[in-house]
């Protein structure tokens, strides 16, 4: 059982990653921190609380509202055309009685890492702002965390917010640069693999036939939310009745790294030059003196197996 802390900007794909984590028998969710991105951090936290209730996991999982803007104080307005006005495709889920934990998100991350004595796995599916703030509070954090799995970035494929940059990394490029260089045992799951992995409308119709009664509310939610997401994919990329799989893929890889193949890279993130903001910069020089740790960047994935596992959690 891996003990995970999720840091999310709870949009449609984040929500499916969270539901998967709550259903997985191999993951134990210790808490969720939220960040601005697909919606505001407070809205994301409210989405998380509703998703926890929907999952029927039967316990309260701490949810902490995190950063509402980047380290440099910027906030780009939420992409309502991608994730809806509420971040979850305008689906209205039943309200939860649970309230967000009144703790600073960075403090919560540091506290959990200390409490779990090296066992904590962090999975980020949004900007890296909360984690960068946690690093400021405890620079030894990377050595206290078992691994960090981050959905973000693009290496050999184009970006989705600029020719060179992916949304989670560009959304707070300074924070991303700090996290990339901090020495975490880090796995990067970026557009190189997420844009080659798809869920189709047919997958969901099949799932609806075979899901357990216990999982039916989750499946009904996923169907509605993905209808919204499919429409974005149709309008923006001409994809019919299907979407790419970003955040759930990172969660699946956090659960089982053998789904992917990885290249070790020494990397940082450009955050000063506006045109290249969010671009991952790699250093492939041989240098025996180089101290920066390498990041395992996912370059190939078994997409069929990943999607099958994702859907199987609800059967
Ligand atoms: O670029 C894709 C990422 O940006 C995903 O995490 C999506 O949820 C958005 O945050
Ligand atoms: Ca996300």
């Amino acid at each position: 059982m891996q003990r995970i802390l999720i840091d999310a900007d709870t949009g449609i794909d984040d929500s499916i990653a969270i539901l998967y984590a709550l259903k997985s028998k191999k993951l134990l969710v210790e808490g969720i921190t939220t960040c601005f991105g697909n919606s505001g951090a407070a809205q994301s936290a409210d989405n998380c609380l509703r998703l926890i209730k929907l999952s029927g996991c039967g316990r309260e999982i701490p949810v902490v509202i995190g950063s509402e803007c980047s380290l440099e104080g910027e906030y780009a307005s939420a992409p309502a055309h991608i994730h809806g006005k509420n971040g979850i495709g305008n689906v209205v889920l039943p309200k939860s009685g649970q309230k967000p934990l009144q703790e600073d998100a960075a403090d919560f991350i540091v506290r959990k890492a200390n409490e779990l004595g090296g066992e904590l796995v962090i999975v980020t599916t949004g900007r890296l702002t909360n984690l960068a703030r946690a690093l400021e509070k405890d620079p030894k954090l990377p050595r206290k965390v078992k691994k960090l799995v981050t959905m973000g970035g693009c290496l050999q494929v184009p970006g989705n917010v600029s020719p060179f940059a992916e949304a989670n990394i560009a959304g707070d490029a300074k924070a991303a640069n700090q996290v990339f260089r901090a020495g975490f045992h880090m796995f990067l799951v970026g557009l190189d693999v997420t844009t080659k992995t798809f869920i189709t409308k047919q997958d969901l119709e099949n799932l609806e036939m075979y899901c357990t009664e216990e999982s039916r509310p989750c499946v009904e939610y996923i169907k509605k939310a993905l209808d919204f997401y499919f429409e974005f994919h149709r309008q923006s990329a001409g994809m019919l009745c299907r979407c790419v799989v970003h955040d759930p893929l990172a969660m699946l890889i956090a659960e089982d790294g053998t789904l992917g193949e990885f290249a070790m890279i020494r990397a940082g993130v450009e955050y000063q030059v506006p045109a290249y903001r969010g671009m991952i910069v790699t250093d492939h020089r041989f240098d025996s003196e180089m101290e920066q740790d390498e990041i395992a960047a996912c370059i190939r994935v078994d997409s069929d197996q990943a999607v099958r596992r994702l859907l199987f959690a609800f059967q």
Side-chain angles (χ1 to χ4, degrees):
M1 185 76 99
Q2 298 198 65
R3 304 175 72 176
I4 65 166
L5 184 152
I6 304 170
D7 188 276
D9 58 336
T10 314
I12 294 173
D13 59 330
D14 305 72
S15 72
I16 298 170
I18 290 168
L19 287 176
Y20 177 78
L22 294 172
K23 289 278 175 196
S24 167
K25 294 184 174 59
K26 295 185 184 153
L27 301 174
L28 180 66
V29 182
E30 294 282 346
I32 308 178
T33 50
T34 66
C35 188
F36 75 103
N38 294 327
S39 62
Q43 174 70 60
S44 281
D46 185 56
N47 292 345
C48 290
L49 293 169
R50 290 173 194 249
L51 289 162
I52 292 167
K53 178 181 165 117
L54 182 78
S55 77
C57 69
R59 65 187 178 100
E60 290 202 348
I61 293 166
V63 173
V64 188
I65 302 173
S67 306
E68 290 286 9
C69 63
S70 71
L71 290 185
E72 292 172 304
E74 291 163 0
Y75 172 59
S77 63
H81 62 297
I82 308 176
H83 294 274
K85 286 193 187 123
N86 65 353
I88 51 172
N90 297 334
V91 182
V92 179
L93 291 175
K95 200 168 169 44
S96 165
Q98 193 193 326
K99 298 271 175 278
L101 196 69
Q102 294 301 308
E103 184 172 356
D104 178 84
D107 286 339
F108 179 78
I109 294 171
V110 171
R111 175 164 72 80
K112 276 291 160 193
N114 285 327
E115 274 174 19
L116 295 185
E119 281 307 302
L120 185 66
V121 172
I122 300 179
V123 182
T124 66
T125 61
R127 278 95 173 121
L128 291 165
T129 320
N130 292 331
L131 200 49
R133 289 189 51 246
L135 265 175
E136 279 166 18
K137 288 178 182 260
D138 185 356
K140 295 208 178 84
L141 186 65
R143 297 290 164 229
K144 297 179 177 177
V145 165
K146 192 170 183 186
K147 66 180 174 185
L148 164 65
V149 181
T150 290
M151 190 282 130
C154 51
L155 291 167
Q156 304 288 342
V157 298
N160 58 4
V161 290
S162 83
F164 321 103
E166 181 278 330
N168 289 341
I169 302 302
D172 193 342
K174 186 175 184 183
N177 185 53
Q178 289 176 3
V179 171
F180 273 47
R181 295 181 184 279
F184 281 101
H185 184 207
M186 183 174 186
F187 294 79
L188 198 61
V189 181
L191 302 182
D192 298 73
V193 286
T194 66
T195 57
K196 293 176 186 139
T197 305
F198 303 95
I199 296 180
T200 67
K201 203 173 176 74
Q202 187 64 56
D203 287 331
L204 299 176
E205 278 162 18
N206 295 345
L207 180 59
E208 206 175 18
M209 277 194 286
Y210 290 101
C211 71
T212 57
E213 279 316 303
E214 191 193 308
S215 290
R216 193 164 294 282
C218 292
V219 172
E220 278 170 8
Y221 160 71
I222 292 171
K223 263 195 94 190
K224 284 188 210 154
L226 283 185
D227 269 345
F228 192 97
Y229 206 46
F230 289 155
E231 185 52 19
F232 162 69
H233 282 73
R234 189 186 70 76
Q235 285 181 18
S236 62
M239 290 185 198
L240 297 179
C241 299
R242 64 181 179 146
C243 65
V244 299
V245 183
H246 297 304
D247 299 338
L249 190 60
M251 191 62 73
L252 287 150
I253 287 176
E255 184 189 61
D256 180 3
T258 67
L259 279 175
E261 280 175 44
F262 299 85
M264 299 310 291
I265 58 169
R266 221 165 22 225
V269 174
E270 172 57 47
Y271 63 93
Q272 280 161 323
V273 182
Y276 299 109
R277 201 178 166 80
M279 185 173 85
I280 294 176
V281 276
T282 52
D283 184 347
H284 294 291
R285 289 173 301 168
F286 173 76
D287 184 349
S288 56
E289 302 290 303
M290 195 76 85
E291 284 193 355
Q292 190 184 340
D293 287 337
E294 292 184 318
I295 295 169
C298 192
I299 49 169
R300 265 181 292 277
V301 74
D302 186 341
S303 299
D304 287 349
Q305 174 80 341
V307 172
R308 224 180 314 144
R309 275 195 203 172
L310 175 63
L311 302 179
F312 192 63
F314 302 93
Q315 290 168 41

